[in-house]
């Protein structure tokens, strides 16, 4: 027959278990209070800002033909330069500003205002041809810039016969 554990050991185990559960629940409640009461307004504002931001996704539309088979309307790829200001290294920021301003034929102050925003995504210039995209990518590779600038593919509608 198995021996009975002393009552004292069982009591100690129960007290330890209750104490661990109380500490665990106490920490959980403390975290909830911190996130709800201390940082609640800040997080609520950030959530509203994020949910109210509009993002347009340009879909590639199909080609339209007339009855003889000629193309009346078609979509073609164009590119947009997107800056991610919060991911740009401080020592690369001026290089990016001057280089992109020159390539995109933009004023440096206009590029600077976008590059210094407190944002993770901001369009710099939209709907450019592939030749400009190639120049931007060559510039980024030449200057060894790995983050903060992206190229996003979009679509533009062309009507060959007006």
């Amino acid at each position: 027959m198995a021996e009975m554990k002393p009552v004292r050991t069982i009591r100690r185990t129960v007290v330890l278990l209750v104490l661990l559960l109380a500490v665990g629940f106490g920490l959980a409640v403390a975290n909830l209070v911190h996130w709800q009461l201390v940082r609640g307004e800040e997080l609520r504002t950030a959530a509203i800002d994020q949910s109210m931001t509009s993002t347009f996704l340009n879909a590639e539309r199909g080609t339209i033909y007339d009855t003889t088979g000629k193309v009346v309307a078609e979509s073609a790829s164009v590119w947009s330069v997107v800056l991610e200001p919060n991911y740009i290294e401080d020592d690369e920021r001026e290089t990016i500003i001057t280089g992109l301003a020159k390539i995109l034929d933009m004023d440096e102050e206009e590029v600077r205002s976008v590059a210094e925003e407190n944002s993770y995504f901001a369009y710099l210039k939209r709907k450019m041809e592939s030749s400009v995209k190639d120049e931007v990518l060559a510039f980024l590779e030449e200057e060894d810039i790995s983050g903060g600038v992206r190229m996003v593919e979009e679509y533009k509608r062309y009507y060959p016969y007006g």
Side-chain angles (χ1 to χ4, degrees), residues 84-99:
E84 300 166 323
N86 289 348
Y87 295 122
I88 296 176
E89 300 291 330
D90 289 332
D91 57 332
E92 296 177 340
R93 194 171 306 270
E94 277 304 313
T95 306
I96 290 173
I97 291 169
T98 55

Side-chain angles (χ1 to χ4, degrees), residues 76-130:
S77 293
V78 290
W79 297 88
S80 294
V81 177
V82 173
L83 290 184
E84 300 166 323
N86 289 348
Y87 295 122
I88 296 176
E89 300 291 330
D90 289 332
D91 57 332
E92 296 177 340
R93 194 171 306 270
E94 277 304 313
T95 306
I96 290 173
I97 291 169
T98 55
L100 290 180
K102 181 180 174 188
I103 294 170
L104 302 176
D105 288 331
M106 295 177 70
D107 184 43
E108 279 192 29
E109 289 306 313
E110 188 179 354
V111 177
R112 179 173 280 103
S113 69
V114 176
E116 292 177 350
E117 287 180 9
N118 183 18
S119 171
Y120 291 97
F121 185 95
Y123 283 107
L124 184 59
K125 191 162 185 182
R126 298 185 78 173
K127 300 197 185 232
M128 300 173 307
E129 298 298 324
S130 293

Side-chain angles (χ1 to χ4, degrees), residues 53-61 80 82 121 123 126-127 150 152-156:
T53 302
S54 296
T55 302
F56 296 101
L57 300 176
N58 292 329
E60 181 178 13
R61 297 163 58 188
S80 294
V82 173
F121 185 95
Y123 283 107
R126 298 185 78 173
K127 300 197 185 232
R150 284 193 301 141
V152 176
E153 184 177 19
E154 296 183 314
Y155 299 98
K156 183 176 179 181

